[in-house]
Amino acid sequence: MASPWSRDLLLSAAAAAALVALLLHRRSRQQKRGRSLTSTQRNFATNGGPIGAAGEYETDTALNEYLHFHYGPKSSFLDKALLGRSTMITSGFERVKEICFQHATSFHHALDVGCACGALSFALSERFQRVVGLDTSLSFVQACGTLQRRRAVPYVLPGQQVRCAASISTSVRPERCSFACMDATEFLQTGARFDLILACNVLCRLARPRQWLALLRDSLEAGGVVVLVTPYAWLEA
């Protein structure tokens, strides 16, 4: 009999996305030790509680940065933030999507843990019938809702005060998505089951990653897959 993890756990080698997250993480640590820019790097302490400032992702600055990170074109701000590697963002997101589509065996229900502003949640809706995006930032989840209803949301280009618009592709199916502002550990304990669970830049924000991984296994449908993307940039509590 095959190991229960033989199909359930895929440690994604999506190097572009992981490197982007690591560079953002390093940049933020230079500003304040132990903090991170990305909501998908949202910190979880013992029992799933957040590490660090609870409201740091509720500011207009954070929302503008992440809308641009998920949907914006290459810019001088982003290029500086990523040490000249901003062209890796689009290829990174696309690579993660490809891995999900390549290894999923059923396309009914998908879960995107730490969805931030929803770029990958919407991308998964191209093939999955239902997609749930979770994040602990209410501001980010509200932005996802606006994108879902209007397919676009305005934001200000960080560092340049230029008005832009984040928009979702015509290929996505926003009506298939739902978003919730809640702790992923609590959500997984509700008994919901998924064909795919995506956790992008979450694993290294956990105080008890083994315990959390066990919850993922119990939240999978038969033949389900977990895709993990991480820069392994462990944060201190």
Side-chain angles (χ1 to χ4, degrees), residues 77-98:
F77 164 82
L78 203 56
D79 209 47
K80 181 178 180 181
L82 301 179
L83 306 181
R85 296 179 174 88
S86 62
T87 54
M88 300 180 69
I89 289 180
T90 300
S91 60
F93 278 146
E94 286 298 317
R95 180 60 180 139
V96 173
K97 183 180 76 171
E98 289 172 3

Side-chain angles (χ1 to χ4, degrees), residues 63 71 117-118 122 125 138-154 166-169 172-180:
L63 178 60
Y71 303 100
C117 293
F122 288 123
S125 75
L138 178 60
S139 177
F140 289 174
V141 170
Q142 289 175 336
C144 291
T146 301
L147 282 163
Q148 185 178 29
R149 294 188 303 272
R150 303 177 181 175
R151 303 191 74 100
V153 62
S167 60
I168 56 177
S169 169
V172 309
R173 301 286 298 276
E175 71 278 4
R176 295 178 174 179
C177 298
S178 59
F179 298 93

Side-chain angles (χ1 to χ4, degrees), residues 9-186:
L9 179 59
L10 295 175
L11 293 179
S12 167
L19 180 56
V20 165
L22 178 58
L23 291 169
L24 281 169
H25 169 69
R26 287 175 176 171
R27 176 178 180 267
S28 65
R29 282 173 64 95
Q30 292 172 356
Q31 298 171 344
K32 181 175 180 180
R33 183 174 178 79
R35 293 181 60 185
S36 171
L37 274 175
T38 61
S39 174
T40 46
Q41 296 173 345
R42 195 69 173 166
N43 307 329
F44 294 92
T46 304
N47 299 324
I51 298 172
E56 66 181 287
Y57 295 99
E58 306 302 336
T59 66
D60 290 341
T61 297
L63 178 60
N64 287 332
E65 287 177 344
Y66 280 86
L67 284 170
H68 193 62
F69 173 52
H70 277 226
Y71 303 100
K74 180 179 177 181
S75 69
S76 58
F77 164 82
L78 203 56
D79 209 47
K80 181 178 180 181
L82 301 179
L83 306 181
R85 296 179 174 88
S86 62
T87 54
M88 300 180 69
I89 289 180
T90 300
S91 60
F93 278 146
E94 286 298 317
R95 180 60 180 139
V96 173
K97 183 180 76 171
E98 289 172 3
I99 288 172
C100 292
F101 289 169
Q102 177 183 356
H103 293 282
T105 58
S106 184
F107 292 87
H108 296 293
H109 297 93
L111 174 65
D112 181 8
V113 179
C115 66
C117 293
L120 284 169
S121 299
F122 288 123
L124 292 176
S125 75
E126 292 178 14
R127 295 191 63 181
F128 284 88
Q129 296 301 306
R130 297 297 303 170
V131 180
V132 176
L134 298 181
D135 203 279
T136 55
S137 168
L138 178 60
S139 177
F140 289 174
V141 170
Q142 289 175 336
C144 291
T146 301
L147 282 163
Q148 185 178 29
R149 294 188 303 272
R150 303 177 181 175
R151 303 191 74 100
V153 62
Y155 71 95
V156 178
L157 184 65
Q160 298 185 24
Q161 299 304 307
V162 176
R163 293 192 173 276
C164 302
S167 60
I168 56 177
S169 169
T170 56
S171 64
V172 309
R173 301 286 298 276
E175 71 278 4
R176 295 178 174 179
C177 298
S178 59
F179 298 93
C181 181
M182 66 181 299
D183 175 71
T185 300
E186 295 177 3

Side-chain angles (χ1 to χ4, degrees), residues 32 53 81 119 166 194 203 213 233:
K32 181 175 180 180
F194 297 89
L203 182 64
L213 288 172

Side-chain angles (χ1 to χ4, degrees), residues 4-11 213 216 220 224-228:
W5 284 100
S6 60
R7 287 287 303 168
D8 292 348
L9 179 59
L10 295 175
L11 293 179
L213 288 172
L216 294 187
L220 288 171
V225 174
V226 170
V227 175
L228 303 176

